[in-house]
Amino acid sequence: MAAILLAALMVSGAAACSDPDPVPASPQSASEADATLSSLRRVPGTHMYAMTYTGDYDELAGVPLPPSAKPFGCSLFYATGDPSRSVYARNFDWDFNPALILHTDPPDGYASVSVVDLFYLGVPSGVDPLTDDAARRKLLGAPLLPFDGMNDQGLVVGMAADESGRAEHRPGRPTVGSVRILRLMLDRSATVDQALTLLDRFNLDFDDGPPLHYLIADRSGASAVVEFVDGKRVVTRGGTRWHALTNFRLAGADAAVKQADRRYATARAALDERAGVLNRQQAFDVLRAVAQPHTQWSITYQPHSGAVHVVARQDWASVHEFTLRMDQA
């Protein structure tokens, strides 16, 4: 990815959907952009698309999230009772917008697959980027806004809203958007510890979207929830069987708080019952049990095999499969 001055890393305050053409400048050539957009296809029977990005991108510049009138939902868990066949699962609970399954393979970073809500690139519901040229061009900014994803080292990342989160500004550190940081982790980190080290090098900007907390996992079975309490980063390490996250602050939460959250309590009961050993279908059963009326997509990542399975808008009978070729070194 192109090197840029740290002074240029500050996130713009303009909302993506207010710009008629918010495609960021990038080192991608015209032929690479054409190859990228030519790979765009619809996931059959859904409002989701799939695309393979060709070429390089500037992972630190692009389109910020617009302010939100209501928080993201989201339920996430990592089942690692058997680390050799662990599964990371998440529901993204938000408005029903078009979404994109994106493959990237930057020349100096790890290959990954991620999911992007296209509304935040300026592609609203009802606009088909396959037939709308302006909307299709906006997809060239898709690498910059992964809402969850997995790289070929087996690192998996996802986020959920935490309205209590407050990230302080630390002088001398560059600032990056609260979703953009997921791209940095996917491109540059192979393990949870590496992701945490990278995260500590940046200030996070929560001004252009709801405050977030993160569930990070890797194929060794390690996991961590990262939250921001009174401006300070707090890391809660996962246990030996599972780790889960919804929309309350996990750090410092007692048993009563965890039980009061229906989605967390439901996931915990299912994960405890199976001692954290779930196959893909069992993981989807848990996601279905904690789904909300506005669950936009449900997804499982399997960091050993590279298998990715997606359900769009709770059509549980239609599971769409993608594969990321994993680096097994």
Side-chain angles (χ1 to χ4, degrees), residues 276-300:
V277 180
L278 281 70
N279 60 29
R280 183 258 299 174
Q281 183 55 56
Q282 291 166 333
F284 270 116
D285 289 342
V286 179
L287 292 178
R288 186 173 186 173
V290 300
Q292 302 186 83
H294 54 292
T295 295
Q296 183 176 345
W297 69 76
S298 304
I299 191 164
T300 62

Side-chain angles (χ1 to χ4, degrees), residues 21 54 58 94 122 134 137-138 183 210 226 238 245 273 279 292 321 324 329:
D21 186 15
T54 300
D58 181 352
W94 192 230
R137 287 285 302 173
K138 293 176 182 181
R183 171 52 58 199
V226 179
L245 183 67
E273 180 181 0
N279 60 29
Q292 302 186 83
E321 182 174 3
L324 176 67

Side-chain angles (χ1 to χ4, degrees), residues 249-323:
R249 180 193 294 170
L250 192 64
D254 59 21
V257 170
K258 295 175 181 178
Q259 188 61 32
D261 186 277
R262 180 193 68 82
R263 287 176 287 133
Y264 186 93
T266 300
R268 178 177 64 182
L271 291 160
D272 278 341
E273 180 181 0
R274 298 182 176 92
V277 180
L278 281 70
N279 60 29
R280 183 258 299 174
Q281 183 55 56
Q282 291 166 333
F284 270 116
D285 289 342
V286 179
L287 292 178
R288 186 173 186 173
V290 300
Q292 302 186 83
H294 54 292
T295 295
Q296 183 176 345
W297 69 76
S298 304
I299 191 164
T300 62
Y301 296 98
Q302 294 171 269
H304 286 272
S305 68
V308 180
H309 293 87
V310 182
V311 167
R313 301 190 181 184
Q314 303 186 61
D315 183 5
W316 305 104
S318 299
V319 180
H320 304 275
E321 182 174 3
F322 301 84
T323 303

